[in-house]
Amino acid sequence: MPATETAPQPGAVAPELLAEYGDLGLWWVCVDVARRSADAGRDRLRRLSDDYRPREALTPGGRPATHDAARAFARQVGLDPDATLLRPDAAARAAAMAGRLVPAGAVADALLAVAVTSGVTVTAVDAARVDGPPVLRTAADGELLGRGRRARAVSPGTVVVADHQRVLAPLFADPPRALDPHRARRVLVWAVEVPGAPPLETEEAVWHAGRFLSGR
Amino acid sequence: MTIAHERPVTSPRPVAAPDEHAARAQLRAQIARLEHRLAAAGPSSGGPAPVPGPRVLDLGELERVRDDLVERVGVVERAAADRTRAIAAAHARLAGMLADPAAHRGAVVTSADLGEPGCVRWAVRPVLGPVGRLAGWWRVRMSSGCP
């Protein structure tokens, strides 16, 4: 998949999802990972760690409004955000345990920085394995998640982000074996804009992730 | 960008009647309000979700999610109310200890009991050890904090 500008692109959303949820959106960007983004990502997390308070990030008053909206939407689609943690909650718990935001490679660091600052769950996959722009839709009968022997069936009707060929990831979930953080040179980054989220927040989060990774 | 073999974005769901659509929207609004109440009441232990997701839930599934949340909100809010009462009782006990130590011999209140951070401990102890115990001289001693 070719790289795009760092300006996020609106992704297609299936009509039945739009009819059901109205303000549902998908923002994505495809960027080349800059070599210096790993060092910059570590520095960014070190700076963020100074001001980041995991306990506050786990309480409603301290959470970004976007994250509150995402938790509510997760409930509305049958997920339990207290059991299957969204990225900002998982980041806060990990930071509480470690005492800081722990770097884990350029891509993971960018997603973590965006998660703790915006409350948006941003997902990334290796763009080399993606065919066409992502789409938010429901899975059809017989679709698989992943490739090869590790592929597993996706229940029909599951809300997923997919390309033109296959399912990339279920809503809010990490893709299976998403990418090798040391090998991925170009990544597709996306986030789902949920109903009730403040306008522009999700788009801005994707823009930040793209900018962090591309080093622009 | 080349778009090849595009999978049609189709709906496996039948189109719902408008009143059912409105009912689902109403249930989703209730779920959002309950989620906010649950989050405001305090940490909730995540259990198995009442329905598999992420999917577009039908009316019955949304009701199950709503009912499950109502139950959880009840549990968490009751626990929060109990905690508030316990904190108020600890404050009252500490005030009583400070006002009349002799009437609260051996009583202990910690900062955790008061719902405060830190490791301070207030304890009613006899002045001069056994002498104070025999003479009925009691006072509140406050620990210096966390080790």
Side-chain angles (χ1 to χ4, degrees), chain B residues 43 49 52 55 64 84 90 98 106 111 119 123 130 133-134 136 141-142:
Chain B
R55 290 186 303 115
R64 288 212 315 265
T84 304
L98 293 168
S111 48
C119 334
R133 190 184 297 272
L134 292 171
R141 293 197 67 178
M142 188 176 81

Side-chain angles (χ1 to χ4, degrees), chain A residues 169-196:
Chain A
L171 177 70
F172 294 138
D174 282 330
R177 300 168 63 81
L179 47 84
D180 181 337
H182 302 292
R183 285 190 180 178
R185 292 283 169 260
R186 179 175 296 165
V187 292
L188 170 69
V189 176
W190 75 75
V192 173
E193 184 169 2
V194 300

Side-chain angles (χ1 to χ4, degrees), chain A residues 74-162:
Chain A
R75 299 260 187 218
Q76 291 167 349
V77 294
L79 296 173
D80 182 351
D82 290 320
T84 310
L85 299 180
L86 303 183
R87 193 184 298 281
D89 286 335
R93 290 200 187 184
M97 296 294 286
R100 65 193 173 98
L101 298 166
V102 181
V107 179
D109 293 354
L111 303 189
L112 179 57
V114 170
V116 300
T117 52
S118 69
V120 175
T121 298
V122 180
T123 308
V125 294
D126 191 339
R129 297 183 172 195
V130 178
D131 180 19
V135 177
L136 184 66
R137 62 172 172 84
T138 52
D141 203 5
E143 283 199 278
L144 298 175
L145 178 63
R147 289 165 178 250
R149 284 181 300 172
R150 290 177 184 269
R152 60 181 173 85
V154 185
S155 302
T158 302
V159 181
V160 297
V161 174

Side-chain angles (χ1 to χ4, degrees), chain B residues 6-122:
Chain B
E6 185 167 1
R7 184 184 292 277
V9 179
T10 56
S11 169
R13 299 171 59 84
V15 177
D19 53 345
E20 192 184 322
H21 185 274
R24 284 204 305 273
Q26 201 171 9
L27 278 168
R28 281 198 299 272
Q30 290 176 9
I31 288 168
R33 285 197 295 274
L34 285 165
E35 159 59 27
H36 189 70
R37 272 178 64 184
L38 183 65
S44 154
S45 57
V51 295
R55 290 186 303 115
V56 180
L57 304 185
D58 63 26
L59 210 53
E61 290 170 328
L62 283 168
E63 281 175 348
R64 288 212 315 265
V65 172
R66 192 263 321 264
D67 294 347
D68 177 67
L69 271 176
V70 167
E71 199 172 310
R72 284 201 208 184
V73 167
V75 169
V76 174
E77 285 187 343
R78 273 195 298 279
D82 290 347
R83 176 87 181 122
T84 304
R85 274 195 294 276
I87 288 172
H91 276 284
R93 197 163 64 245
L94 179 58
M97 286 160 56
L98 293 168
D100 186 4
H104 297 82
R105 298 176 183 188
V108 175
V109 171
T110 65
S111 48
D113 296 335
L114 300 174
E116 294 170 359
C119 334
V120 181
R121 195 169 179 273
W122 292 263

